[in-house]
Amino acid sequence: MADAQLSRGDEVKSQLLEVSEPFRQLVTEHQALDDRIRQLATLSFLTDQQQYEEASLKKKKLAIKDRIEALVRSHRTGLGGLATSAGQ
């Protein structure tokens, strides 16, 4: 059952990537934050500023992930609201 829900979520994400510019922007921003976090993780020592940046990026990334998942849930249940949810 969990596999079916996961593949359904992937389907919805694929659809949203095709039709929703706000959704695409969120996914792109999420990936960019993830890339920067990975860059910081490769460093053997982080300065105080880099530690702060890493924590801040992780918070932003999580907030964006929540927005992405909210859009997916909204789309999956047929509530729509892509433009309004993405602009929050």
Side-chain angles (χ1 to χ4, degrees), residues 48-79:
D48 288 343
Q49 183 178 359
Q50 289 168 328
Q51 289 176 11
Y52 177 81
E53 179 186 6
E54 181 182 41
S56 177
L57 293 173
K58 286 180 177 181
K59 288 177 187 179
K60 287 179 186 178
K61 183 180 165 200
L62 184 58
I64 290 172
K65 181 179 178 184
D66 289 344
R67 290 172 61 193
I68 288 170
E69 292 305 318
L71 287 172
V72 169
R73 276 192 309 275
S74 176
H75 187 76
R76 185 183 304 139
T77 59
L79 297 176

Side-chain angles (χ1 to χ4, degrees), residues 9 12-13 16-17 20-30 33 58-76 80-88:
V12 172
K13 286 179 183 178
L16 286 169
L17 284 169
S20 174
E21 180 60 28
F23 185 81
R24 281 192 296 273
Q25 289 174 348
L26 286 173
V27 170
T28 299
E29 186 175 353
H30 185 269
L33 292 171
K58 286 180 177 181
K59 288 177 187 179
K60 287 179 186 178
K61 183 180 165 200
L62 184 58
I64 290 172
K65 181 179 178 184
D66 289 344
R67 290 172 61 193
I68 288 170
E69 292 305 318
L71 287 172
V72 169
R73 276 192 309 275
S74 176
H75 187 76
R76 185 183 304 139
L82 292 176
T84 56
S85 295
Q88 291 179 350

